[in-house]
Amino acid sequence: MSIREHLVGVGLEQYAERFEQEGISLESAASLTGEQLEKLGVASEAHRATLLEHFRTSAIDLSKGGPAPAAAPPASSPMPTATKLMIGIVLVLGGLALVGLLVALAGGYWWMNRTRGEREQERANAAAEQAHNAAQEELAEVRRRAAEEVEQVRRRAAKDLAAAQAKKEDVFAGDEGGLAGAAEDEETMRQPIDNLYEAWRNLDADLYASQWAPDGTRVDLKSGKVSTAAQVIRSRSALFPKLLHVDAQHTSRLQNFEGGVATFYTRYTMSITSQSGRTTTEVANESYRVKKFNGRWLIIENRDYEP
């Protein structure tokens, strides 16, 4: 056998070409050392050990005259045709049975996965429906509470309006020089207050500014801050463009009229929605003092957050 055939026999045929280039035969390979094999390109220590063992064994076999030839197999008697046919049938049936088993296993695996997927989908659908129902219930509760709050505000406003009207009638009936001495009716004097709330609803800074007297003031009773009319107008002119919607409702009743100045007590509800969609609602009391200038009633003082 050639050196290539020996290398192929041990599965290391990648070294055959280098061995042949170096003219190494099986006889000379038996005397190679591990270091020499490494120089021949056998970098793997495991490969060097395999080759050294193989070359040593092969050299021993050669010295003994080569391995003994394998004994010839005993002659077998011809197999009957019927037996061959039966064996063929058995093999075919066995193959069919194996195919059927594999198909059954594959079908069962597919059905199990399909059933699992359907169960997962059902659970996902149930969770989604539950979340949807919860959201609907929460929305319904929010709407119910909002409706109750609106109804309460309407009732309070109606009650305050009725009380103010009654008080107005009582005051005008019994006052000899106060409210009865007002030169004009209450609606005309209240006009700048109504216009102020209309400006809030329409986000109209010009309409808002035109309701104030030049020397008017605003007092925030919560913080104690006092602002001039000019400061208030600048503040509202900067605020209105940032708002999306304002729902403002109010009721005002005349409290006093003295020295040409009418004092109104006002209760208001204001829902303010910013451009971001956030809504805040405020319910509070305030008072206004108005005076006539060149034929127009204007606000000379606003006191917010009255008790």
Side-chain angles (χ1 to χ4, degrees):
M1 294 177 63
S2 66
I3 189 67
R4 177 178 289 274
E5 291 173 330
H6 275 275
L7 292 174
V8 171
V10 294
L12 298 175
E13 62 273 15
Q14 64 267 34
Y15 304 118
E17 185 176 352
R18 180 65 181 275
F19 275 51
E20 290 174 345
Q21 290 175 354
E22 298 294 333
I24 297 173
S25 65
L26 182 59
E27 291 79 2
S28 61
S31 62
L32 292 174
T33 65
E35 183 178 353
Q36 291 172 328
L37 286 175
E38 186 175 5
K39 290 180 179 180
L40 288 171
V42 185
S44 170
E45 185 176 352
H47 289 180
R48 293 197 298 273
T50 299
L51 290 174
L52 289 173
E53 176 63 23
H54 178 73
F55 292 153
R56 184 182 66 79
T57 304
S58 299
I60 293 173
D61 290 341
L62 286 173
S63 66
K64 294 180 180 180
S76 58
S77 58
M79 183 180 295
T81 303
T83 302
K84 294 181 180 179
L85 180 60
M86 289 300 297
I87 292 175
I89 293 174
V90 170
L91 291 175
V92 170
L93 292 177
L96 291 176
L98 180 60
V99 170
L101 177 61
L102 293 175
V103 170
L105 290 174
Y109 181 76
W110 172 83
W111 178 259
M112 182 178 64
N113 283 345
R114 178 177 180 273
T115 304
R116 182 186 304 165
E118 289 177 349
R119 288 198 302 268
E120 292 177 354
Q121 185 62 44
E122 289 175 358
R123 285 196 293 269
N125 292 341
E129 183 176 359
Q130 184 177 2
H132 174 74
N133 292 338
Q136 290 296 321
E137 291 176 0
E138 184 176 355
L139 179 60
E141 179 64 17
V142 170
R143 289 176 175 173
R144 183 186 65 79
R145 291 178 181 177
E148 289 180 355
E149 291 179 1
V150 171
E151 183 61 26
Q152 290 175 2
V153 171
R154 288 177 179 175
R155 290 178 180 177
R156 286 197 298 267
K159 183 178 179 181
D160 291 345
L161 182 61
Q165 186 65 28
K167 184 175 181 179
K168 173 187 173 182
E169 293 174 356
D170 292 342
V171 170
F172 273 95
D175 188 3
E176 296 179 354
L179 299 180
E184 300 184 43
D185 61 22
E186 179 180 345
E187 183 177 355
T188 302
M189 293 184 291
R190 194 182 64 238
Q191 192 64 49
I193 303 172
D194 295 340
N195 289 343
L196 205 68
Y197 279 94
E198 184 67 19
W200 270 103
R201 285 189 289 270
N202 294 327
L203 299 176
D204 188 337
D206 292 336
L207 179 61
Y208 186 95
S210 64
Q211 308 311 312
W212 287 86
D215 58 348
T217 60
R218 178 182 181 273
V219 181
D220 187 328
L221 296 178
K222 275 187 177 180
S223 63
K225 180 181 179 180
V226 179
S227 304
T228 65
Q231 291 173 330
V232 175
I233 292 168
R234 283 197 300 271
S235 174
R236 298 298 183 259
S237 298
L239 174 63
F240 284 177
K242 300 177 182 178
L243 304 181
L244 181 64
H245 176 72
V246 174
D247 182 14
Q249 304 295 331
H250 75 288
T251 56
S252 298
R253 67 176 187 270
L254 181 63
Q255 279 191 316
N256 185 42
F257 183 81
E258 185 176 353
V261 176
T263 302
F264 286 87
Y265 183 84
T266 300
R267 181 174 181 82
Y268 68 87
T269 300
M270 190 173 294
S271 294
I272 301 175
T273 303
S274 66
Q275 291 288 350
S276 64
R278 182 181 178 185
T279 300
T280 57
T281 301
E282 184 177 58
V283 180
N285 303 316
E286 61 182 351
S287 64
Y288 289 91
R289 296 176 67 229
V290 297
K291 187 177 181 180
K292 198 171 187 179
F293 293 88
N294 298 324
R296 289 186 64 226
W297 288 91
L298 299 175
I299 298 169
I300 60 174
E301 183 186 58
N302 168 221
R303 298 173 65 86
D304 204 357
Y305 303 114
E306 291 272 13

